[in-house]
């Protein structure tokens, strides 16, 4: 059976996969800005800080409808980010500590509320804790519609505010000097990030949601230097991780969806780190080439020096003599130089500069 | 108070002090979020050690978890060192991946055993006294208390022995390197302590509380005092206080102890933020108000000096006229005049103000400065 028929036939899988795609798309696109602005861990803080909002919304509104809980989560998450920036601005506590503080204290308060609610006589609160770890299997069609609509609105806002967001990501001072309202843009971006996180909480949970923000954007960053391309690539990679993870978890027994999605996203990051144009493999190859180029330069100069010191032009020397000067094996470099016609081997296997090689050695 | 309650509080306090001790260095080194990363990724170590040993009580679980903590830090540094992403993104990539692996191992191989993700993340202090260390017919007390006691002692000894080195590499890593200390080694020593402490602690109280205890008390202490020694002591005291307060709050609300302790840590930080002498919000507001008043008094002195001895002085230098000239409302003008009189800058007779010698000097200095 092909993947396509799977997706059409299996209702649960289709729902989960669609939700995961929508979620990966939105969080990937918005994660771009978070990663570029060095706020990758803001997502972690927001997703943990959302917990008390979820429980509060449940207590206040008495419903477990995903929109109501999302609104609660969003309000708490947004309050958390405001608190982080207030702490950083008005005290000497640095951003990392402020993030950790808000994250853990909000989560703790959420835990208090949750356990308090759970000890009430009626059992209708069951399932609230899926916001902690995420339970993709419990996602309903209405939830997917909510995710898609809210996510689409967020993306439209990104498109409308594109220029402002771009300036904010790269040079906020410049933006402010142009008269763009950078503080307002920052609040807008944070709100959008909150939205992206909140819609993912019930799918993948608080702990793993931060990976959905960071991983697609970190992978996309390796492939391009342009913001537009990076945003689209991150959205695509996020969606790909979402659907792959969802399908994998449906095919493998007892493979939870959230972790599966995160691991696929992490795999995409590793591949990008290795194979992208600025990645580790290309970098290593370039370094090797540069090293060998440098090696041939040195060997050429060595031969020229030997020739001047011992017997004049045309005098040949064994490879070992050259190697002795550099304390390495010079044969590879000599062969490379021979290929370029800069050195030549005589009958005894000794090396001498050609005329061109002599000119080249002087020029360098 | 029953013995169980006493034991829970003892575990909470010992855990809190141990966490705040290593947390102080994390906060000062701007590495706070490594506690979050380690707190989550240790799940992998526990899960793997469980696979190997087949039990949930073996000390191998702790060792496995502590190793994972160190591996987490090493991975974060490895990813950062490629310079493909920055450190924040590196942390955000590494720990969710490790946590995911842990969750998958647990749900595939350890289903039904008491090794669920909830217990790791949330902890349950209330059950800690039931897990006791008994040997040779003796009851040595709750296992967590002994474990955390040992962890605290180890932390304290290592920090005491390496005090000078840690201090230097925390505040001036470049100088530490130049003087021949090796900040990298110290870094790993510290991270090992953080891992061991986090593992021991979350066994009892859950990883989120570990983050709260490692960051909030040192951050609060950081607002209250200077000097590394006092910082450590303050942080420990705040952590212990939050642990006790959190316990009783939990009893009152019948809610999660770990959550209540985290909330108390937050309250402690909030109080320090508001009330810290000299640095708190209240102190800042009062300072600003005082400066505003002092500035206004100087303005008054300048105004009076400008009109002094001139015919219009009788009109200009009346208290009632200030509102028109300096745009002060009468209430504020009254406070400024009273303050200026107290400082001996002006004297008033029948609503007309005149400068004293001191007031004249102040005006003169303010204008020429």
């Amino acid at each position: 059976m092909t993947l396509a028929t799977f997706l059409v036939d299996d209702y649960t899988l289709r729902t989960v996969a669609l939700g995961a795609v929508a979620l990966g798309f939105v969080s990937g696109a918005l994660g771009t800005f978070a990663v570029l602005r060095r706020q990758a861990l803001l997502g972690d803080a927001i997703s943990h800080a959302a917990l008390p909002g979820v429980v509060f919304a449940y207590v206040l509104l008495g419903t477990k409808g995903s929109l109501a809980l999302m609104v609660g989560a969003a309000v708490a998450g947004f309050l958390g980010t405001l608190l982080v920036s207030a702490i950083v601005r008005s005290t000497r506590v640095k951003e990392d500590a402020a993030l950790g503080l808000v994250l853990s204290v909000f989560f703790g308060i959420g835990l208090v509320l949750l356990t308090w609610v759970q000890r009430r006589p009626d059992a209708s609160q069951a399932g609230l804790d899926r916001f902690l770890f995420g339970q993709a299997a419990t996602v309903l069609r209405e939830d997917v519609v909510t995710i898609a609509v809210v996510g689409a609105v967020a993306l439209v806002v990104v498109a409308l505010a594109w220029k402002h967001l771009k300036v904010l990501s790269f040079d906020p001072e410049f933006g402010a000097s142009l008269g763009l309202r950078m503080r307002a843009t920052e609040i807008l971006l944070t709100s959008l990030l909150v939205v992206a996180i909140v819609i993912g909480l019930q799918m993948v949970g608080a702990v793993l949601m931060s990976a959905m923000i960071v991983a697609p954007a970190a992978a996309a960053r390796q492939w391009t230097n342009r913001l537009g391309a990076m945003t689209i690539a991150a959205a695509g990679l996020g969606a790909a991780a979402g659907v792959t993870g969802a399908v994998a978890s449906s095919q493998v027994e007892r493979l939870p969806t959230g972790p599966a999605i995160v691991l696929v996203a992490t795999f995409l990051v590793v591949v990008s780190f290795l194979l992208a144009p600025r990645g580790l493999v290309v970098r290593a190859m370039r370094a090797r080439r540069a090293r060998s180029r440098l090696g041939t330069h040195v060997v050429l100069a060595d031969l020229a020096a030997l020739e001047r010191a011992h017997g004049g032009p045309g005098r040949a020397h064994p490879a070992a003599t050259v190697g002795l000067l550099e304390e390495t094996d010079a044969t590879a470099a000599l062969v490379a130089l021979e290929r370029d016609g800069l050195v030549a081997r005589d009958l005894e296997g000794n090396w001498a500069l050609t005329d061109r090689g002599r000119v080249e050695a002087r020029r360098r | 108070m029953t013995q169980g309650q006493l034991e829970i509080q003892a575990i909470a306090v010992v855990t809190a002090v141990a966490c705040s001790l290593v947390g102080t260095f994390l906060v000062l080194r701007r590495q706070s979020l490594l506690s979050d990363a380690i707190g989550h990724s240790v799940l992998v170590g526990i899960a793997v050690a469980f696979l190997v040993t087949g039990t949930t009580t073996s000390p191998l679980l702790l060792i496995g978890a502590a190793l994972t903590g160190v591996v987490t830090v090493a991975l974060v540094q490895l990813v950062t060192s490629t310079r493909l992403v920055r450190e924040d993104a590196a942390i955000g990539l590494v720990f969710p991946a490790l946590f995911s692996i842990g969750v998958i191992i647990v749900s595939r191989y350890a289903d039904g055993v008491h090794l669920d993700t909830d217990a790791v993340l949330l902890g349950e202090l209330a059950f800690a006294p039931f897990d006791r260390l008994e040997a040779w017919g003796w009851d040595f007390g709750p296992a967590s208390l002994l474990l955390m006691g040992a962890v605290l002692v180890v932390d304290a000894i290592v920090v005491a022995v390496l005090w000078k080195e840690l201090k230097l590499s925390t505040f001036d890593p470049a100088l530490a390197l130049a003087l021949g200390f090796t900040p990298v080694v110290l870094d790993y020593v510290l991270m090992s302590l953080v891992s061991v402490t986090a593992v021991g602690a979350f066994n009892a109280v859950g990883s989120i509380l570990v983050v709260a205890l490692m960051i909030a008390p040192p951050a609060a202490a950081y607002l209250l005092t200077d000097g590394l020694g006092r910082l450590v002591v303050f942080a420990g005291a705040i952590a212990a206080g939050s642990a006790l307060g959190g316990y009783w709050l939990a009893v009152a609300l019948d809610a999660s102890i770990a959550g209540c302790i985290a909330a108390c840590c937050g309250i402690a930080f909030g109080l320090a933020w508001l009330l810290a002498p000299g640095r708190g919000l209240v102190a800042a507001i009062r300072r600003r108000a005082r400066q505003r008043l002092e500035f206004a008094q100087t303005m008054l002195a300048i105004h009076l000096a400008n009109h002094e001895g001139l015919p219009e002085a009788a009109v200009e230098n009346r208290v009632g006229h200030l509102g028109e000239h300096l745009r002060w409302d009468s209430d504020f003008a009254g406070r400024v005049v009273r303050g200026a009189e107290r400082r001996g800058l002006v004297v008033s007779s029948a609503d007309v103000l005149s400068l004293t010698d001191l007031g004249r000097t102040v005006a003169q200095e303010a204008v020429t400065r």
Side-chain angles (χ1 to χ4, degrees):
Chain A
M1 206 164 11
T2 64
L3 179 62
T5 53
F6 252 133
L7 287 176
V8 173
D9 290 346
D10 187 331
Y11 175 81
T12 314
L13 174 56
R14 192 174 59 206
T15 312
V16 172
L18 278 177
V21 166
L23 162 65
F25 197 86
V26 177
S27 58
L30 284 162
T32 303
F33 298 100
V35 167
L36 287 176
R37 301 188 65 230
R38 308 185 188 195
Q39 292 187 322
L41 291 166
L42 191 61
D44 196 33
I46 294 173
S47 58
H48 284 82
L51 181 64
V54 172
V55 188
F56 222 75
Y58 165 74
V59 173
L60 275 187
L61 306 173
T63 161
K64 277 191 290 180
S66 59
L67 193 60
L69 298 190
M70 273 185 198
V71 170
V75 170
F78 189 66
L79 273 180
T81 64
L82 288 186
L83 212 52
V84 169
S85 63
I87 291 174
V88 172
R89 257 184 295 126
S90 72
T91 73
R92 54 179 186 168
V93 171
K94 306 298 180 298
E95 191 174 15
D96 63 312
L99 280 173
L101 193 113
V102 167
L103 175 161
S104 56
V105 170
F106 269 55
F107 196 80
I109 294 172
L111 207 55
V112 172
L113 288 173
L114 192 63
T115 45
W116 180 70
V117 168
Q118 275 169 347
R119 279 166 200 171
R120 296 203 314 184
D122 64 309
S124 65
Q125 84 289 341
L128 276 186
D129 51 358
R130 69 172 184 213
F131 275 84
L132 292 181
F133 302 105
Q135 265 174 12
T138 64
V139 170
L140 305 172
R141 228 181 95 185
E142 297 89 84
D143 298 333
V144 174
V145 172
T146 314
I147 291 176
V149 171
V150 174
V153 171
L155 291 181
V156 168
V157 175
V158 169
L160 291 178
W162 182 256
K163 185 183 65 186
H164 285 71
L165 293 175
K166 192 174 191 173
V167 177
L168 179 71
S169 302
F170 294 107
D171 200 343
E173 284 84 12
F174 174 65
S177 78
L178 288 181
L180 301 178
R181 292 173 44 189
M182 285 296 110
R183 180 78 192 128
T185 312
E186 203 177 338
I187 292 174
L188 174 74
L189 181 59
T190 309
S191 320
L192 291 172
L193 202 60
V194 169
V195 169
I197 286 163
V198 162
I199 62 177
L201 278 183
Q202 53 179 336
M203 294 264 316
V204 298
V207 179
L208 297 180
M209 195 50 221
S210 61
M212 293 305 293
I213 296 289
V214 181
R221 175 68 189 90
Q222 311 310 320
W223 297 96
T224 174
N225 284 326
R226 302 199 59 83
L227 181 65
M230 181 178 165
T231 309
I232 292 168
L237 289 172
V243 71
T244 316
V247 170
S249 98
S250 79
Q251 296 306 298
V252 182
E253 207 187 333
R254 293 202 299 208
L255 180 66
T257 313
I261 296 176
V262 169
L263 282 189
V264 174
T266 309
F267 174 73
L268 292 176
V269 172
V270 173
V271 170
S272 304
F273 276 9
L274 290 176
L275 301 182
R278 64 201 284 260
L280 297 176
V281 171
V282 170
R283 195 192 286 173
M285 275 164 52
R286 210 173 283 156
R288 229 180 97 190
R289 213 176 309 137
R291 225 177 3 246
S292 75
R293 271 241 308 283
L294 186 65
T296 61
H297 285 211
V298 172
V299 166
L300 198 66
D302 285 345
L303 269 182
L306 282 170
E307 181 180 274
R308 274 198 301 279
H310 307 285
R315 174 69 187 266
H317 297 273
T321 314
V322 183
L324 220 54
L325 286 174
E326 298 305 324
E327 295 178 347
T328 59
D329 186 13
T331 318
L334 287 166
V335 171
L337 286 168
E338 186 182 28
R339 214 167 30 230
D340 295 341
L342 299 178
V343 301
R345 216 181 319 206
D346 66 13
L347 294 173
E348 284 123 54
N350 292 336
W351 298 86
L353 289 175
T354 62
D355 292 338
R356 257 185 64 213
R358 206 163 295 119
V359 175
E360 188 67 22
R362 215 169 302 139
R363 198 174 63 81
R364 285 179 188 169
Chain B
M1 239 190 304
T2 66
Q3 194 198 352
Q5 285 182 321
L6 266 179
E7 284 175 354
I8 292 176
Q9 290 177 63
I11 296 170
V13 168
V14 170
T15 306
V17 173
C19 285
S20 74
L21 177 59
V22 292
T24 303
F25 291 97
L26 285 180
V27 169
L28 289 175
R29 291 163 163 249
R30 308 187 184 191
Q31 294 177 316
S32 309
L33 288 165
L34 284 178
S35 67
D36 187 33
I38 291 173
H40 286 105
S41 61
V42 286
L43 180 63
V44 163
I46 294 183
V48 170
F50 169 77
L51 279 187
V52 174
T53 62
T55 70
T56 57
T57 52
S58 159
L60 266 182
L61 263 65
L62 282 180
I63 297 170
L67 276 179
T68 327
V70 177
V71 168
T72 308
V73 176
L75 275 178
V76 169
Q77 285 177 348
L78 178 72
V79 174
T80 311
S81 73
T82 64
R83 282 177 287 123
L84 294 173
V85 287
R86 302 200 188 82
E87 194 187 5
D88 61 322
I91 296 177
L93 287 170
V94 168
F95 85 82
L98 290 174
F99 186 77
S100 297
I101 296 172
V103 172
I104 289 173
I105 294 178
V106 169
S107 61
R108 283 184 69 80
Y109 304 106
D111 215 21
V113 192
H114 179 70
L115 184 70
D116 47 86
T117 43
D118 299 44
V120 172
L121 270 194
L122 312 180
E124 195 39 278
L125 205 48
F127 299 142
F130 298 119
D131 181 14
R132 307 189 76 83
L133 187 73
E134 286 167 19
W136 308 294
W138 282 78
D139 180 7
F140 287 92
S144 324
L145 183 57
L146 296 171
L147 177 67
M148 283 317 296
V151 168
L152 176 58
V153 169
V154 171
D155 283 351
I157 289 175
V158 175
V159 167
V161 168
L162 294 177
W163 181 259
K164 178 184 63 192
E165 286 80 1
L166 281 172
K167 190 175 187 174
L168 184 60
S169 74
T170 297
F171 291 107
D172 197 341
L175 179 63
L177 192 62
L179 290 179
F181 296 104
T182 42
V184 180
V185 173
L186 279 171
D187 220 31
Y188 274 93
V189 170
L190 185 62
M191 288 311 149
S192 311
L193 287 188
V194 172
S195 300
V196 171
T197 311
V199 172
F202 88 82
N203 205 24
V205 298
S207 66
I208 299 298
L209 178 56
V210 170
V211 178
L213 283 175
M214 281 194 183
I215 300 176
Y222 192 41
L223 298 181
L224 294 173
T225 181
D226 296 302
L228 188 57
R230 256 169 306 165
L231 208 57
V232 166
V233 173
F234 272 55
I238 293 170
S242 302
L244 292 178
Y247 174 75
W248 287 107
L249 185 65
V251 170
L253 294 177
D254 188 18
S256 151
I257 301 176
C260 285
I261 295 180
C264 279
C265 289
I267 292 170
F269 179 81
L271 287 177
W273 189 12
L274 278 178
L275 304 177
R279 291 200 196 98
L281 289 180
V282 172
I285 288 168
R286 289 184 54 178
R287 189 170 53 237
R288 230 166 281 149
R290 202 182 57 234
Q291 283 169 344
R292 180 160 166 251
L293 220 55
E294 273 172 15
F295 179 74
Q297 288 162 6
T298 312
M299 282 299 293
L300 175 66
I302 295 171
H303 174 73
L304 295 180
N306 277 343
H307 299 293
E308 198 168 42
L310 295 172
E312 74 266 20
V315 182
E316 290 284 348
N317 294 0
R318 300 174 76 86
V319 177
H321 190 75
L322 295 174
E324 199 175 305
H325 202 107
L326 293 167
R327 305 250 174 266
W328 292 342
D329 62 45
S330 58
D331 183 39
F332 184 67
R335 266 165 55 213
V336 173
V337 170
R338 275 197 304 281
E341 278 176 338
R342 252 200 319 276
R343 275 174 68 195
L345 302 180
V346 301
V347 287
S348 69
S349 58
D351 202 31
V352 175
L353 299 167
S354 52
L355 284 172
T356 62
D357 285 342
L358 178 62
R360 225 164 275 127
T361 323
V362 166
Q364 190 64 37
E365 267 179 10
V367 174
T368 52
R369 191 162 51 197

